[in-house]
Amino acid sequence: PGMVIARILASDIDADVNSQLVFDIQPTNAMATQYNRFEIDTITGRVSIRNLGSRPLCFNSTSTQIYSYNVIVSDRGNTPLSSMTTLDITVSVGNAYIPRFVRETFIGRLEEGAPIGSIAVGSLQATDDDRCNEGFIFGKRGN
């Protein structure tokens, strides 16, 4: 999983398997359904940002986004009982910085007559200070 952003807590006063809990989230709005950016650990209830390959997913937006989910917790009894609440995750993102080159001036040198593609003249580097600086606000609706 990616970066943990919340943990859902629940308890069950039963004993044995009847007290063992399993968590699930189900998207309830278009943003959550379409982009599927969050996941829950079914045992611990930790909500995290999905990884994209070896790194966390970036949100790449200049506007606030709201992801809404139903959170369901069930026990492992023969006839499982469950409870549900809602979780709204508001992602407040910004695009405050413009991309910029690391160096303002680049000078490359190439010998006359060098075969095309045989020499690397140099490389340019650019940065953007906005990279993945999302802020998260959590809300709960219902009981």
Side-chain angles (χ1 to χ4, degrees):
M3 180 178 78
V4 175
I5 59 167
R7 182 168 182 211
I8 307 299
L9 300 175
S11 62
D12 190 324
I13 60 173
D14 290 331
D16 301 321
V17 294
N18 293 333
S19 68
Q20 295 174 7
L21 302 177
V22 178
F23 295 90
D24 187 27
I25 57 173
Q26 298 173 347
T28 60
N29 72 348
M31 188 68 79
T33 301
Q34 182 177 358
Y35 294 105
N36 197 23
R37 307 245 182 191
F38 300 95
E39 61 190 352
I40 192 166
D41 183 298
T42 59
I43 305 302
T44 66
R46 289 185 180 106
V47 178
S48 58
I49 301 171
R50 285 190 185 280
N51 277 343
L52 182 62
S54 62
R55 59 191 180 120
L57 203 53
C58 292
F59 288 85
N60 295 328
S61 175
T62 57
S63 62
T64 298
Q65 303 166 348
I66 299 174
Y67 299 82
S68 297
Y69 296 91
N70 283 336
V71 179
I72 298 102
V73 61
S74 305
D75 64 27
R76 293 182 185 247
N78 288 333
T79 307
L81 299 175
S82 65
S83 185
M84 184 182 76
T85 190
T86 58
L87 174 66
D88 292 330
I89 302 170
T90 303
V91 181
S92 177
V93 294
N95 192 15
Y97 301 96
I98 60 171
R100 59 184 165 74
F101 288 103
V102 174
R103 292 184 0 195
E104 288 185 28
T105 304
F106 177 81
I107 299 173
R109 300 200 189 280
L110 180 64
E111 288 187 33
E112 185 177 352
I116 295 175
S118 66
I119 298 174
V121 176
S123 63
L124 299 174
Q125 290 182 314
T127 63
D128 186 337
D129 292 333
D130 286 320
R131 59 186 180 269
C132 285
N133 290 330
E134 290 87 16
F136 299 92
I137 301 169
F138 306 98
K140 176 183 169 295
R141 291 177 290 155
N143 295 331

